[in-house]
Amino acid sequence: GEQVEQLPSILRVQEGSSASINCSYEDSASNYFPWYKQEPGENPKLIIDIRSNMERKQIQELIVLLDKKAKRFSLHITDTQPGDSAMYFCAASVPYGNEKITFGAGTKLTIKP
Amino acid sequence: EAAVTQSPRSKVAVTGGKVTLSCHQTNNHDYMYWYRQDTGHGLRLIHYSYVADSTEKGDIPDGYKASRPSQENFSLILELASLSQTAVYFCASSEDTTNERLFFGHGTKLSVL
């Protein structure tokens, strides 16, 4: 099945700077790439997603890039704020439904004041 | 915002005992899922269901059963709990399986002693 590698597992950045999380996948049939944010003690929530017909998507300070040739996608958070401290999970999904979504191991992001 | 409620929020079980985790959604979603979260492994799919009275195996179903008695309710059953099943369990729902957003519950922290 699909394998998703997510790096780094731990990331600490200064408030106001940018944070980048990188993911890679194996199955070239994967066509949907969501990102979930999980704050401490909370449930994971979808924050942004990108489909294979796009290379870049931005929602406010969140930017997702997709390189289908390299089978890599990444999340960039610009102008980080304390509220961005959380666990972030990338995922990849083949076009057969959510039962085929595979999550990365997660990145714990800490924003230093 | 779609609502997925899990109970209990935490549970301590003895090895060899039976554990039932419950999930209730008010989203009118057909699809429901059980995931397990372990440090370093992200979220892994245990069982899922797309219609009442039917369940499907996910990626790591061994040691778990699932029950979907109605559209709103989805249970995860550990007939003989083991130490290795200590983890946080998340229930999720989605409108369908065509790469749609997952709505997660707040999780159940299970400790098997």
Side-chain angles (χ1 to χ4, degrees):
Chain A
E2 174 68 287
Q3 300 287 326
V4 176
E5 183 178 26
Q6 181 173 348
L7 291 171
S9 56
I10 297 173
L11 180 61
R12 298 185 182 91
V13 302
Q14 206 71 36
E15 182 177 348
S17 65
S18 296
S20 296
I21 302 170
N22 300 294
C23 291
S24 61
Y25 60 99
E26 294 185 354
D27 192 340
S28 57
S30 290
N31 67 343
Y32 175 64
F33 307 92
W35 287 86
Y36 285 81
K37 175 183 179 182
Q38 183 182 19
E39 298 184 60
E42 291 294 320
N43 52 337
K45 294 181 177 68
L46 180 71
I47 53 173
I48 191 168
D49 56 15
I50 190 167
R51 298 185 187 272
S52 58
N53 60 347
M54 300 176 69
E55 295 179 347
R56 184 182 191 276
K57 183 174 181 178
Q58 180 167 1
I59 298 177
Q60 296 179 330
E61 80 281 5
L62 303 176
I63 300 170
V64 173
L65 303 176
L66 173 62
D67 183 341
K68 287 175 290 185
K69 267 189 177 180
K71 295 186 213 173
R72 291 177 185 168
F73 58 112
S74 56
L75 173 68
H76 306 271
I77 307 173
T78 61
D79 188 23
T80 53
Q81 300 299 312
D84 294 324
S85 292
M87 281 289 288
Y88 291 81
F89 294 98
C90 65
S93 176
V94 293
Y96 308 120
N98 275 334
E99 70 272 20
K100 296 300 182 184
I101 192 168
T102 302
F103 286 87
T107 296
K108 183 176 181 181
L109 173 63
T110 302
I111 309 302
K112 300 180 290 185
Chain B
E1 175 83 0
V4 179
T5 305
Q6 292 182 234
S7 62
R9 289 296 301 273
S10 67
K11 183 173 181 63
V12 178
V14 295
T15 303
K18 182 177 181 178
V19 176
T20 299
L21 307 182
S22 300
C23 180
H24 178 80
Q25 56 105 352
T26 58
N27 309 324
N28 199 34
H29 287 169
D30 286 329
Y31 298 86
M32 296 187 75
Y33 314 84
W34 276 105
Y35 286 90
R36 170 177 172 156
Q37 184 177 37
D38 300 275
T39 303
H41 286 281
L43 295 158
R44 293 181 291 174
L45 182 64
I46 306 170
H47 284 288
Y48 64 98
S49 169
Y50 48 81
V51 67
D53 296 322
S54 177
T55 64
E56 306 293 332
K57 293 180 179 180
D59 297 323
I60 53 164
D62 294 345
Y64 302 94
K65 291 184 180 179
S67 174
R68 182 92 182 270
S70 64
Q71 185 195 42
E72 299 81 13
N73 296 292
F74 192 35
S75 299
L76 185 68
I77 303 148
L78 291 65
E79 294 280 3
L80 294 169
S82 66
L83 293 172
S84 63
Q85 293 176 312
T86 292
V88 178
Y89 292 84
F90 284 97
C91 176
S93 74
S94 68
E95 189 168 347
D96 61 40
T97 64
T98 314
N99 298 328
E100 286 290 334
R101 174 182 175 183
L102 293 172
F103 292 88
F104 285 91
H106 277 76
T108 295
K109 185 176 181 180
L110 175 65
S111 298
V112 182
L113 306 177

